[in-house]
Amino acid sequence: MNDYHKLVFFIGVLTLISLVQVSDASVVSTGDFNKDFFVIWSPSHVNTSADGHARSLKLDKESGAGFASNQLFLFGQIDMQIKLVTGHSAGTVVAYYLTSDQPNRDEVDFEFLGNVSGQPYILQTNVFADGFDNREERIYLWFDPTEDFHTYSILWNLHQIVFMVDWVPIRVYRNHADKGVAFPRWQPMSIKISLWNGDSWATRGGKDKIDWTKGPFIASFRNYKLDACIWRGNARFCRADSPTNWWNKERFSSLTSTQRRLFKWVRTHHLIYDYCQDNERFQNNLPKECFLPKY
């Protein structure tokens, strides 16, 4: 098998693993955007299907838009199928993230940075831990994310945060709190999704601006799954090793051998920026986790 066919095979294996996970999980999503989320910004730019199972956001000169989960969560897995803005999308940003919205906030970000026609999207990920960020990584995807829906997932537990694209792990942020590295582990977070004008920085550092004549710009969402611990005011419940908290089980404490192969494949062929390689930015004083194992 060539590398592409191997990737397809491994994705199939990971999909089966994910289906097994569901059997002992406590899924809290209804599948209806109207029931699990509320609009936080510009309702006139949010369009939801009659059955609530699909939603789109619009960006034009007037406004962008966004929505957020009704619940706060502490650990779990969030899956969202997304189809990104087609065509000339330079300057647009689709953000899909977890955030605690506190001064010393924790946050786990997917940010999809648009581009001029014919140039690929950039997927930027970032982690805020106890108010500290500057933890960006960027990759090119191995497919066109505007042609169809793809699944973007965040697995968050006591051991690690894993960013996944179609079940392929593209980034791991490990819990090294015992070594003095901040890790999101106490603050509950909500899910937020938005489409907005980021042309001051998003495409080539802000050199490529939004071309409003190409708008309106539309991003679409469907088939989400919220499989996470709902915040009830006590972190102990969500940190417990219980049948419903499957993500805290030992087998999810690190990447599997298959996941490691896929992770290395992404890092070798698709990584375009890693803060842990940016000595100039950090003046040769890279963050501590850059010298610690990722899995």
Side-chain angles (χ1 to χ4, degrees):
M1 289 190 294
N2 61 29
D3 286 346
Y4 175 77
H5 289 100
K6 287 179 181 177
L7 176 64
V8 172
F9 173 76
F10 288 142
I11 290 174
V13 172
L14 290 175
T15 302
L16 288 174
I17 292 172
S18 72
L19 292 174
V20 171
Q21 290 175 3
V22 172
S23 65
D24 60 355
S26 179
V27 180
V28 298
S29 50
T30 66
D32 187 335
F33 282 98
N34 291 319
K35 293 179 179 178
D36 290 330
F37 296 88
F38 66 99
V39 176
I40 55 174
W41 178 27
S42 193
S44 64
H45 287 56
V46 180
N47 183 49
T48 307
S49 63
D51 62 6
H53 292 172
R55 173 167 284 180
S56 64
L57 299 180
K58 179 175 71 173
L59 170 65
D60 57 22
K61 272 189 174 182
E62 178 187 337
S63 180
F67 58 95
S69 61
N70 293 325
Q71 303 285 357
L72 294 171
F73 305 98
L74 185 64
F75 306 128
Q77 182 166 310
I78 312 300
D79 305 324
M80 182 70 67
Q81 288 193 354
I82 304 174
K83 184 178 180 182
L84 296 174
V85 175
T86 60
H88 187 101
S89 58
T92 68
V93 178
V94 174
Y96 156 52
Y97 59 109
L98 300 171
T99 180
S100 65
D101 284 334
Q102 299 296 323
N104 59 330
R105 81 179 186 272
D106 292 338
E107 192 167 294
V108 180
D109 299 338
F110 275 103
E111 291 177 306
F112 302 90
L113 312 182
N115 215 330
V116 297
S117 294
Q119 294 300 310
Y121 258 86
I122 289 175
L123 171 52
Q124 174 171 287
T125 57
N126 197 6
V127 175
F128 288 70
D130 200 23
F132 295 97
D133 66 333
N134 296 328
R135 301 294 189 267
E136 297 94 344
E137 292 186 7
R138 291 184 173 190
I139 67 167
Y140 287 133
L141 294 164
W142 49 94
F143 53 83
D144 183 345
T146 72
E147 290 185 345
D148 203 353
F149 286 88
H150 292 267
T151 303
Y152 303 90
S153 306
I154 299 169
L155 170 65
W156 171 35
N157 60 32
L158 285 165
H159 312 284
Q160 60 180 353
I161 297 168
V162 184
F163 297 78
M164 292 176 283
V165 176
D166 291 336
W167 315 116
V168 174
I170 64 165
R171 179 175 182 177
V172 181
Y173 187 84
R174 190 138 192 89
N175 184 352
H176 290 298
D178 60 333
K179 299 177 178 65
V181 177
F183 183 86
R185 55 191 174 132
W186 295 105
Q187 298 187 77
M189 295 195 273
S190 64
I191 304 157
K192 290 188 176 180
I193 295 177
S194 60
L195 170 59
W196 49 283
N197 177 358
D199 70 4
S200 64
W201 65 275
T203 309
R204 290 203 308 140
K207 293 179 181 178
D208 293 318
K209 304 297 185 182
I210 290 182
D211 182 351
W212 296 110
T213 66
K214 300 293 196 296
F217 305 97
I218 307 293
S220 303
F221 310 86
R222 71 178 190 188
N223 293 350
Y224 67 90
K225 186 175 74 174
L226 317 179
D227 194 353
C229 184
I230 297 176
W231 177 251
R232 304 294 189 191
N234 188 338
R236 187 174 303 172
F237 175 76
C238 293
R239 295 167 67 88
D241 183 4
S242 67
T244 53
N245 293 354
W246 60 261
W247 46 84
N248 286 336
K249 293 183 181 298
E250 180 64 26
R251 68 179 184 271
F252 302 107
S253 64
S254 186
L255 298 185
T256 66
S257 58
T258 299
Q259 287 178 318
R260 292 179 189 187
R261 291 177 68 179
L262 289 167
F263 178 68
K264 290 176 181 177
W265 175 81
V266 171
R267 310 290 288 185
T268 300
H269 298 286
H270 298 280
L271 183 70
I272 55 176
Y273 176 80
D274 179 358
Y275 73 98
C276 280
Q277 299 173 4
D278 197 341
N279 278 296
E280 181 178 354
R281 179 182 185 183
F282 291 97
Q283 300 180 333
N284 293 315
N285 187 26
L286 293 172
K288 188 179 294 186
E289 69 269 14
C290 294
F291 304 99
L292 296 171
K294 291 189 181 296
Y295 50 77

